[in-house]
Amino acid sequence: MLFRFDDFDRTFDLMNQLHRRLDRVVAGERTDGLGQVALHESEDALHLSVDLPGVKEDDLEITLQQEVLTLSGHRAVEVPEGHRPHLRERRPFRFTRSFSLPAAVDPEKARARLEDGVLHLQLGKAEAARPRQITVTAG
Amino acid sequence: MSQIAQKNERRRVLHPAVDVFENDDGLMLRADVPGVTDDALDVQLDNGLLTVVGTRTLPEFRGGGVIEYRRRFHVPRDIDGAKVTAHIDRGVLSITLPKSEAARPRLIPITRG
């Protein structure tokens, strides 16, 4: 014979629904992981940052063709072995995003780092795309 | 107020998506908290109310300021608060909430008499 505690489940769900509503009323908004891509241009590089929680390095592809950058990747959301789900809000996702970069970049100067579920991408600008100071000489 | 002080106070509260699972040993909670490191995470269980708060600082080009990921849950009374553990991997938080020994299901052997 196996003792079960299913009556907890109902209380658990009900109370949590209430809490979720409360949370929403009090402050804040919902977020489900996959973020918007943020782009920043500095004098000698382009910097991109995007939230990709749960995405593994092997499941992420970054390609650069001419001035078009493409990010694609996916993640799975699994029920841990031997567990049963109570609440499932996290989504698996699969995405592809392409951008026309605002400046020519040098593929040799590209650095990508996936840290704490956030992708940081730094693309060094091609020499020709960097601003140059023109010295004015008195004539 | 100086501009720097204003920037420091900019804080946005977000409620991350959460999964909750159960097995005979306890509950497991998972939440998407990208950018949050273990040392910026606060998990508290008080009187059956689990409060999870994780913070991250955004770089200036992403708007700056602090994001606070926050969720609260009522958990069954039979969770052993002293044994709750949490860790973050690739921006995904996992919290393990073991049931107290007394609350775990037990298989009662049936003997023929």
Side-chain angles (χ1 to χ4, degrees):
Chain A
M1 190 182 150
L2 208 62
F3 290 98
R4 281 246 168 252
F5 288 85
D6 282 342
D7 52 329
F8 272 126
D9 299 356
R10 238 166 295 139
T11 327
F12 183 78
D13 287 345
L14 215 84
M15 290 302 278
N16 287 326
Q17 273 175 31
L18 194 73
H19 258 288
R20 243 174 289 156
R21 262 180 241 156
L22 252 166
D23 274 344
R24 225 172 290 160
V25 172
V26 174
E29 51 193 284
R30 297 300 294 276
T31 173
D32 61 0
L34 180 65
Q36 299 288 314
V37 178
L39 175 74
H40 167 69
E41 183 173 357
S42 67
E43 236 172 59
D44 48 11
L46 299 175
H47 307 266
L48 274 100
S49 167
V50 59
D51 294 345
L52 300 171
V55 175
K56 297 174 185 146
E57 285 84 351
D58 288 348
D59 295 333
L60 179 64
E61 201 177 86
I62 306 167
T63 54
L64 186 62
Q65 192 174 25
Q66 308 281 4
E67 270 154 52
V68 176
L69 177 80
T70 302
L71 304 178
S72 57
H74 64 92
R75 79 162 185 191
V77 173
E78 281 149 6
V79 178
E81 216 185 306
H83 286 68
R84 57 202 167 88
H86 273 286
L87 175 67
R88 299 202 70 184
E89 297 175 346
R90 299 176 61 239
R91 291 179 307 138
F93 53 69
R94 186 171 285 279
F95 66 94
T96 299
R97 285 179 192 177
S98 291
F99 314 86
S100 291
L101 297 174
V105 295
D106 181 350
E108 298 297 315
K109 289 181 193 149
R111 303 263 176 286
R113 188 161 49 90
L114 198 51
E115 193 176 58
D116 305 318
V118 182
L119 171 69
H120 304 275
L121 189 59
Q122 185 179 319
L123 304 162
K125 285 186 188 172
E127 280 304 326
R130 293 183 190 205
R132 241 163 266 220
Q133 187 123 31
I134 313 290
T135 316
V136 183
T137 49
Chain B
M1 198 189 291
S2 78
Q3 215 173 0
I4 289 168
Q6 275 175 3
K7 266 183 199 162
N8 286 345
E9 279 167 23
R10 205 140 36 86
R11 183 175 279 257
R12 197 151 68 103
V13 177
L14 295 178
H15 302 306
V18 167
D19 287 343
V20 180
F21 306 104
E22 183 180 7
N23 69 1
D24 289 344
D25 296 329
L27 297 172
M28 178 185 279
L29 186 148
R30 283 190 178 152
D32 292 320
V33 292
V36 178
T37 52
D38 285 326
D39 55 349
L41 178 71
D42 185 32
V43 177
Q44 280 184 25
L45 182 60
D46 182 25
N47 227 352
L49 183 65
L50 178 77
T51 305
V52 182
V53 180
T55 54
R56 70 189 282 201
T57 304
L58 287 182
E60 215 46 55
F61 76 92
R62 289 189 59 171
V66 170
I67 287 188
E68 183 180 295
Y69 293 100
R70 175 183 279 273
R71 282 296 286 267
R72 286 182 303 174
F73 291 91
H74 270 287
V75 297
R77 297 275 166 180
D78 58 5
I79 294 299
D80 186 347
K83 290 191 180 147
V84 173
T85 56
H87 78 276
I88 304 179
D89 182 35
R90 299 174 196 280
V92 180
L93 165 69
S94 297
I95 304 177
T96 307
L97 302 131
K99 287 180 190 168
S100 58
E101 281 302 328
R104 292 187 195 189
R106 247 166 260 214
L107 197 58
I108 312 292
I110 303 166
T111 50
R112 293 178 76 176

